[in-house]
Amino acid sequence: MCSPEEEALLRLEEVFSATLARVNSLVLLPLLETTPEPSDPQGREGLRLLQRLHRSSQRLWEVTEESLHSLRERLCHQDTVGLESLLLLQHAERVLQAHVGYIESYSSCVVVQAFQKAAKKRREFWRGQRKALWQLLPGVSSEASVGTALAQALHQPLAHHVQQYVLLLLSLGDTAAEPHRTRELVVHAATVFGNLQSFLRQALDQALATQALWHSLSSRLRDVLCTPERRLLQDSQDVPVTVTPLRAERVLLFDDALVLLQGHSVHTFDLKLVWVDPGQDRCTFHLLTPEEELSFCSKAPQDRMVWQWKVTQAVCQALRGKKDFPVLGADLEPSEPPTCRCVAYTFRAEGRLCQATYEGEWCRGRPHGRGTLKWPDGRNHVGNFCQGLEHGFGIRLVPQGPEDRFDCYKCHWREGSMCGYGICEYGTDEVYKGYFRAGLRHGFGVLASAPRALQPCKYTGHWERGQRSGYGVEEDGARGERYIGMWQADLRHGPGVMVTQAGVCYQGTFQADKMVGPGILLSEDDSLYEGTFTRDLTLVGKGKVTFPNGFTLEGSFGSGAGKGLHTQGVLDTAAFPPDPSSTRKRQLGVGIFPMESHWQGVYGPFRDFVSAGCPGDEQEALLGFHVQNSRELRKSQEYLCCERTQPEPCVDRMEGILDELLLHREPRALRECLRKALSNSLHPLGKLLRTLMLTFQATYAGIGANKHLQALAQEEVKQHARELWAAYRGLLQVALQRKGQAPEEDEDTETRDLQVHGLVLPLMLPSFYSELFTLYLLLHEMEDSLYSQGIANLSLFPDTKLLEFLDVQKHLWPLKDLTLTTNQRLSLVRDKCFLSATECLQKIITTVDPREKLEVLERTYGEIEATVSRVLGREHKLPMDDLLPLLIYVVSRARIQHLGAEIHLIRDMMDPIHTGGLCDFLLTALESCYEHIQKEDMRLHRFPGRWDSREPW
């Protein structure tokens, strides 16, 4: 059986639905129908508000009809439909939102006096409707204005309806004999509509206070500040407060902004960007904004508390984006505004950010976190900020000229300036990749012109304060030359080596980009000039030329326009031909500047990183980063939001790297650990290796592939190995320190060299092998040519004839290994003897590791001895007299190209631990074979067709 309260609710809903319909037909529709399209902005705004109110009224009526339907269903089917099925109970929040929407629409109309203005425009119409209108308003004086009557007609029924809702729901909750869950729904609905009563009163009070405020202000201020949705929360004329440093005459707190009136000036602060900072005394508190810090002072502590509380709650409400319910500060969410927020703001004060718009994360009035900064002139910056300054990774676009060209900076920033590693793509198509400090290129970096530039140029080296300074390599594509040496203030200054595309090499001293003092010039035909030059490497002044045949020319040199080179001096033709190593193999660059000073711009940041304890947040600035490089992407807004791929936080990754080093300190495990580290582009050691590879290629590839630089390149590779080992040791010490373990003792030079040559050099050599081996090829090109011809001539011999020719004792010939066909003669068999040793030696070119090459040589020696022992039927150790001809045979049959380059690279790069041992002995034997084969070439040309094996060596 239904309770009296349910029946009363039914009657209440029926009356309210009918009232809404009458108000809609008598008030709202006439307001909309009789109001022509206004021409002024205020009129259009009023019409928009009335249309919004009409839509809200329609939604409220529809919800009331649904509630009425659910009540009727309940009364008609009491046995099957429970009390909890009522819309008021089951969907109380939905009913609430319909009421709140109507209240907000109504209060906006009240703020701008939309009803009064509409009544004035149609006085005659509303005069005729006066009687019907007053029938809706019991208790309203007949002397009231039409505008007031319209406002009351749209408000009074709702207020009465909500009040009756609360009373009936409270009574229903007390009397209903329903399950506990249903009683909870009733109590919840009563609470919701009780809160709605409070919300309605506050909304009307704020609307009337705001309406009164607009009346008290001048029309100019009203035009600036008045918006229908804005509500006044506090006025300094009601609760006095003084604001410094602006000395405001009046302070107005709205629900979306704080406004200070100072004469004719209006200072508006978005509440989303206001931070409340409690003061040190009872009468003062502070507000932080993006460009101002304001102090609020009151004579009475309670006044200060009122302002501070209202500002705090208004900020919370503004950040939530909805009004507190039921009243300001009573929302269920936290009443303290968050310190970090995400808001857009345009700076107004003069300075570097003037007129720039920042959109992103804030903290206490400053950009802090990730955000985007845009200037009116087209500059854009997206990245990380700290206390108002660019800090961390960021991308900045700077427009250049009217041709849609940009400078694009993808860098790490520190306190507003580029600092750390960065990539800059300029509108001129130049690209800089390297380090910055205080916004300038500083440290190691590479500046390259566009690939198709008319005068292509590339500099790889050290920078100081935006200028080339220190050790660096510059390639001038237009002139076809490469400079390797010292710089100062963007000019070549100090010792240096210049290599040209024509093969000419120069070594000397530069001062302010000019050659000064004596130098050395090596031409492609190995002529040597010692003296002075011009910028174009033209001989001028006193000097001496040594020709490849030993002739010398000493005197004064010069050149004139169209006259070519002329000289006055003494030509000496009596000298003996020089040793080839004195000119053809002369090496440049070694000793003119210390090897340790070459690439300090690369080593320095790594040492600083290790000295700082390998902080994870600095790892990316050290290692660089990977972002898209497309010019089209750079022009689009999508580019500004590009994300860098980071599988895991840098801090965690660095911790894992250091832990790995501690777990793999035993020799075999350490080798594998270093191998993985050097092959990983995200590992500090791997990044360091890749940067060193870049410098090596910039120095010795292309134009720099000159035989006179081989020794310099060889020493540079060894220095890199020493630095990589020092880098590993530095990381290991940091790892030990973090775990609270004692650091390792310093190594002596001998121990360090053993680790460098035995462990690091074999692991890193493949990264430099291509360029380094090319230099060895060029240096030993003549000997390798003679060797190749000797190999070709020896290949003409069948096996037995070659063994005889080489004076190999016949009892050592492995004839048992030869399997002949029916028509084959023993004297014609080729490439069958010592086949296992030959195949073994051929593997020497399949590895770049000197240690593995020596192991191949040792296995080859073992195969030769094994073959001889099998022939003799007993174990046999070969003396040098027997080994050398057999080794020559194997080498000639292995036909290894560029054996001279291979031998010298092994000799230069092998571990010193092998010196004086078996490997050193076998390498010396291989060198002897190489030299003998070159001599055989000359011998065979003197005695073609002869096979006299007794000919002396």
Side-chain angles (χ1 to χ4, degrees), residues 141-207:
S141 172
S142 59
E143 300 297 324
S145 65
V146 174
T148 301
L150 290 173
Q152 287 295 327
L154 292 164
H155 165 260
Q156 198 177 74
L158 177 67
H160 175 75
H161 179 64
V162 172
Q163 182 183 17
Q164 293 301 310
Y165 257 166
V166 175
L167 294 174
L168 288 173
L169 287 170
L170 288 174
S171 178
L172 183 62
D174 292 336
T175 61
E178 297 286 341
H180 179 68
R181 171 60 182 159
T182 303
R183 290 180 61 83
E184 284 184 352
L185 290 175
V186 174
V187 172
H188 172 69
T191 304
V192 165
F193 286 100
N195 289 338
L196 181 61
Q197 252 186 317
S198 302
F199 180 78
L200 176 58
R201 285 195 295 268
Q202 176 185 262
L204 186 59
D205 291 343
Q206 289 179 351

Side-chain angles (χ1 to χ4, degrees), residues 59-71:
R59 283 195 294 270
L60 182 57
W61 178 81
E62 291 168 1
V63 169
T64 304
E65 283 291 305
E66 288 185 48
S67 177
L68 186 57
H69 176 73
S70 68
L71 282 162

